[in-house]
Amino acid sequence: MSIFGRIWDKISGHSAAHAATPAAAPAAAAVAAPAAAAAPQVDVEAVLAIMAQSDANHGGNYQTSIVDLLKLLGLDSSLTARKELAEELGVHAGEAGTAEQNIALQKAVVAQMEAHGGRVPASMRD
């Protein structure tokens, strides 16, 4: 699986698990509800905020740092992993591991989250 695929699985999977936590709706409501044609939109900000609450470092600066985002998600944040992610997403900004590349990677990941149906806050897009 691609690195972005693992990122999205962690976010969308956490969202689905969190949505399943509330008490079950009455059976009549389930019958009356229309079948969903597409997957529901994932509130990326809410999912990451929940994950950050249980993180010892409170997620660091995951909103603007690709390294902190990967760490929060429990994924490899090494230079090798970021090089692979840059190649996967077509990010060719700066030398590998530089701030320029890391910023471009963060923006590319955010753009991919939105393309996959994620609602991303402006604070992560800027």
Side-chain angles (χ1 to χ4, degrees):
M1 176 181 285
S2 70
I3 293 178
F4 178 76
R6 285 180 277 191
I7 291 170
W8 189 244
D9 280 352
K10 293 274 186 170
I11 293 171
S12 62
H14 190 278
S15 177
H18 185 36
T21 304
V31 172
Q41 196 172 40
V42 175
D43 186 343
V44 173
E45 180 177 32
V47 169
L48 294 176
I50 290 168
M51 294 176 90
Q53 287 175 352
S54 62
D55 182 64
N57 191 28
H58 301 289
N61 194 15
Y62 68 86
Q63 294 167 321
T64 58
S65 168
I66 189 65
V67 173
D68 286 349
L69 177 63
L70 292 169
K71 285 180 180 180
L72 177 62
L73 296 172
L75 298 172
D76 184 1
S77 64
S78 69
L79 178 58
T80 303
R82 286 179 282 133
K83 282 181 182 179
E84 187 178 329
L85 181 60
E87 203 51 44
E88 177 184 324
L89 299 179
V91 173
H92 304 290
E95 293 295 316
T98 62
E100 183 181 2
Q101 185 190 52
N102 288 340
I103 291 167
L105 271 175
Q106 178 76 9
K107 289 181 181 203
V109 166
V110 166
Q112 284 297 310
M113 287 180 193
E114 289 180 313
H116 282 78
R119 279 192 323 261
V120 180
S123 62
M124 289 184 74
R125 279 188 251 117
D126 301 332

